[in-house]
Amino acid sequence: MVEFGDFKCPACAQFTGVIKPQIVQEYVNQDKAAFYFVNMAFIGPDSETASLAALSVYHQNNDAFWTYYDALYANQGDENAEWATEDFLVSLAEKEKLPVDLDLLRKDIQERTYESELQNDISIAKDTGVTSTPTVFINGHKVDKPFDMEAIDAQIKSASEAVSAE
């Protein structure tokens, strides 16, 4: 399962707060599915800044990434204002007590260390035809209603049956 999202996207924050916990509980924690995130930073400049911070956290401690991902969405600012500043992003990691080097996080944001990886994610979104966030795929098939858990359940079941039949 792959989510294309933007840390500045209010609908993505809603998906993360409501749907993702159900997916994690029902499928990821039961080893029935894996959940991946692809950055589609397109709303504003701090979409990229937040993505660069998240990539830094991921590269330092990939388990901490999901805590940071949830915290970014839970503490999301207004879509029309710049809120994902370097200071905010580092202080959020500190507040969440992430097991990462905060100085390295700040340096990675300043130097845009993972810029090429971010641009690769954005290219994947474009090449896949993703035009809005959140967009979710299950085994390469787009989920038509990412806020409908019953539809997601049905699509996961269908994908699981297709894999079992092979």
Side-chain angles (χ1 to χ4, degrees):
M1 191 176 295
V2 177
E3 174 203 357
F4 290 84
D6 185 323
F7 289 113
K8 208 172 158 71
C9 165
C12 294
Q14 183 182 2
F15 175 86
T16 297
V18 177
I19 300 297
K20 181 184 154 268
Q22 295 175 63
I23 291 169
V24 169
Q25 181 178 355
E26 297 292 320
Y27 299 102
V28 177
N29 289 348
Q30 308 298 321
D31 292 326
K32 295 177 182 175
F35 190 82
Y36 300 94
F37 179 75
V38 178
N39 290 289
M40 191 178 151
F42 73 102
I43 294 174
D46 54 333
S47 296
E48 289 193 8
T49 309
S51 293
L52 291 167
L55 285 166
S56 174
V57 168
Y58 174 79
H59 284 283
Q60 288 191 51
N61 182 326
N62 59 6
D63 289 334
F65 169 79
W66 291 108
T67 302
Y68 196 59
Y69 163 102
D70 288 338
L72 280 167
Y73 282 125
N75 293 278
Q76 183 183 73
D78 185 284
E79 180 182 13
N80 298 310
E82 185 175 329
W83 57 268
T85 63
E86 175 188 324
D87 287 339
F88 171 81
L89 296 165
V90 172
S91 68
L92 182 62
E94 184 175 25
K95 180 180 136 198
E96 293 294 321
K97 297 179 175 38
L98 296 182
V100 298
D101 180 332
L102 298 174
D103 292 332
L104 179 57
L105 173 58
R106 184 175 296 278
K107 180 177 180 275
D108 286 345
I109 295 167
Q110 288 171 347
E111 297 180 3
R112 300 180 71 87
T113 303
Y114 297 103
E115 175 72 29
S116 63
E117 190 171 336
L118 174 58
Q119 292 308 317
N120 186 56
D121 275 7
I122 293 168
S123 292
I124 289 169
K126 184 178 178 190
D127 294 346
T128 309
V130 175
T131 57
S132 63
T133 55
T135 295
V136 178
F137 285 84
I138 297 172
N139 281 9
H141 298 281
K142 185 177 176 183
V143 173
D144 291 329
K145 299 176 182 174
F147 289 95
D148 181 344
M149 197 59 206
E150 287 182 21
I152 292 170
D153 287 335
Q155 200 160 338
I156 290 173
K157 186 176 183 200
S158 174
S160 179
E161 288 170 356
V163 170
S164 296
E166 290 178 359

